[in-house]
Amino acid sequence: MTTKKRVFSGIQPSGNIHLGNYLGAVKQWVEGQDEKENFICVVDLHSLTVPQDPVELRFQTRSLAAVLLASGIDPDKTTLFIQSHVTAHAEGCWLLNCVTPLGWLQRMTQFKDKSAKQESVGMGLLDYPVLQAADIMLYDAHEVPVGEDQKQHVELCRDIGQRFNHIYEEEFFIIPEPKIPQDGARLMGLDDPTVKMSKSLAYTRGHAVRLLDEPKEILRSFKKAVTDSGREIRFSDDPEKAGVNNLLGIYKAVTGKANDEVEADFANARGYGDLKVGVAEVVIEFLAPMQARYKALMDDPAELDRILAIGAEQAAAVSMPKLRQMKEIMGLVLPVSSD
Ligand code: AQP
């Protein structure tokens, strides 16, 4: 039996994956896959919590899986799969719904933010974190590497797990820890550094750097980035400097340099224009090999499907028995085979 720590994390195919998703989450998944037992999921059921175009959703789901592989997720080390391919997730969510107080869900910041933007709010949006809790705990995951915006949901998952354990069986669920990276945990929009970079806003030109953007589009987005009226290129907590700080944070996370090295790289800059071009250049260079691998994967759909089918089988082999145990301790009659 493996003694590796088990990791679960997910990403929604709700639009074009951006640099915030990469630096906040995907980078950690790739870096951890040698020491950890990784389960990484394209959470298509989660993306249905807000309206989606079916044709676009189907494309984005496969495209996102290809981006993850192109970013370094190795299917020999990581179980990569599509959430809806493993029925335990939706069933586990229902069972956890029945132990989750409504008030806990109504307090979630993401629910409040996203519901304020919808004309009509579906039940799924409120239930989003319970499905996430099922995702994580069906795998007995110890760690959940996510960006800062997901910390509240992982904390809620812990509360739901503890409540379930208290009601039914102490230590049934492993209570997972969120893992937030030191750099890139919260990238802000280039067009508005007070708002988190987000897939659902990425259709606005210049908001996000999407991993599949052409170099000239990336350069254009950075050149239009909102900064301030000053000239100083330094890390700072000053809210007025949030735009410059965001650009420096991106440069730092992509290059892996320390703060003083980053500032030294821009010591001779003539102003924010040089900063913007300098950040764009490292990002373009960084993304180029990933973009080439992505194209090759999308040209071979049968291979992509094969990888995802193996991932779903491996994931089901772990989560279906856990679901069965859950049902049993909750008092459900388990089906017996008719043959
Ligand atoms: N701006 C960000 N900076 C750092 N990390 C981020 N993440 C998201 N935005 C940033 C992290 O990316 C992972 C996958 O996110 P998700 O697909 O589950 O959904 P999200 O958090 O709601 O991300 P988006 O891009 O804002 O999507 P939409 O617009 O569809 O809601 C998570 O680990 C997240 O923390």
Side-chain angles (χ1 to χ4, degrees):
M1 211 179 110
T2 176
T3 53
K4 286 181 173 177
K5 280 213 164 156
R6 196 174 273 174
V7 165
F8 183 96
S9 201
I11 180 162
Q12 299 184 75
S14 48
N16 290 298
I17 178 172
H18 55 73
L19 202 57
N21 300 131
Y22 178 80
L23 295 173
V26 179
K27 186 166 180 267
Q28 298 192 78
W29 306 343
V30 173
E31 287 171 356
Q33 64 187 342
D34 284 323
E35 312 92 72
K36 312 271 168 78
E37 190 189 359
N38 263 11
F39 287 83
I40 301 297
C41 188
V42 176
V43 290
D44 54 349
L45 298 174
H46 274 106
S47 62
L48 292 175
T49 58
V50 294
Q52 302 288 343
D53 173 69
V55 174
E56 180 65 11
L57 176 61
R58 210 165 287 126
F59 171 76
Q60 288 294 352
T61 301
R62 304 181 84 260
S63 166
L64 180 55
V67 170
L68 296 177
L69 292 166
S71 299
I73 294 290
D74 177 348
D76 291 333
K77 296 176 184 167
T78 289
T79 299
L80 174 70
F81 66 105
I82 295 176
Q83 186 185 34
S84 64
H85 289 184
V86 181
T87 55
H89 294 244
E91 278 195 78
C93 173
W94 177 258
L95 301 180
L96 291 181
N97 274 335
C98 299
V99 300
T100 305
L102 180 61
W104 288 7
L105 302 179
Q106 287 167 327
R107 280 204 307 266
M108 290 296 106
T109 312
Q110 181 175 289
F111 171 68
K112 289 192 218 162
D113 288 351
K114 288 197 173 175
S115 57
K117 290 180 199 151
Q118 305 294 322
E119 248 174 55
S120 151
V121 178
M123 265 301 298
L125 195 58
L126 182 68
D127 210 22
Y128 181 115
V130 185
L131 178 58
Q132 187 171 348
D135 293 346
I136 298 165
M137 293 194 295
L138 282 169
Y139 292 85
D140 286 328
H142 305 96
E143 291 179 5
V144 188
V146 281
E148 203 178 68
D149 61 315
Q150 286 294 334
K151 189 165 176 242
Q152 193 185 36
H153 284 168
V154 182
E155 278 162 1
L156 181 72
C157 167
R158 291 170 57 84
D159 290 342
I160 295 172
Q162 273 156 356
R163 188 170 160 92
F164 187 99
N165 287 355
H166 181 70
I167 296 172
Y168 290 107
E169 186 175 305
E170 286 306 335
E171 297 182 16
F172 177 71
F173 281 128
I174 289 180
I175 306 302
E177 297 279 348
K179 286 277 163 206
I180 316 286
Q182 281 197 322
D183 299 311
R186 191 176 186 83
L187 255 59
M188 308 310 280
L190 296 183
D191 57 342
D192 181 354
T194 64
V195 171
K196 128 182 140 122
M197 190 179 284
S198 173
K199 280 191 233 93
S200 44
L201 295 175
Y203 60 84
T204 310
R205 242 192 172 170
H207 166 75
V209 177
R210 295 168 299 194
L211 298 192
L212 298 174
D213 279 347
E214 297 281 339
K216 62 176 186 304
E217 179 71 26
I218 297 175
L219 183 61
R220 189 165 35 216
S221 298
F222 277 111
K223 278 189 170 169
K224 283 173 57 187
V226 170
T227 46
D228 55 78
S229 56
R231 294 181 57 82
E232 209 186 17
I233 302 180
R234 290 198 161 278
F235 286 97
S236 128
D237 295 334
D238 181 352
E240 292 287 311
K241 300 270 171 199
V244 169
N245 214 48
N246 194 36
L247 292 174
L248 289 173
I250 292 173
Y251 187 90
K252 180 180 180 194
V254 169
T255 60
K257 291 186 176 180
N259 284 14
D260 53 349
E261 292 174 305
V262 172
E263 288 172 356
D265 283 355
F266 293 103
N268 298 321
R270 283 159 300 168
Y272 292 157
D274 284 359
L275 169 67
K276 292 174 184 181
V277 172
V279 181
E281 280 170 354
V282 294
V283 169
I284 289 166
E285 192 185 329
F286 172 75
L287 292 179
M290 186 283 291
Q291 293 182 346
R293 285 194 293 272
Y294 169 81
K295 286 200 180 83
L297 281 156
M298 289 301 274
D299 284 344
D300 190 356
E303 175 60 6
L304 186 60
D305 288 343
R306 190 188 69 83
I307 292 170
L308 292 171
I310 293 173
E313 265 174 40
Q314 289 171 344
V318 175
S319 54
M320 293 305 276
K322 186 77 179 179
L323 178 74
R324 205 178 150 85
Q325 286 170 12
M326 244 180 118
K327 288 179 177 173
E328 192 160 27
I329 64 173
M330 290 179 88
L332 303 184
V333 175
L334 298 178
V336 284
S337 154
S338 56
D339 44 54

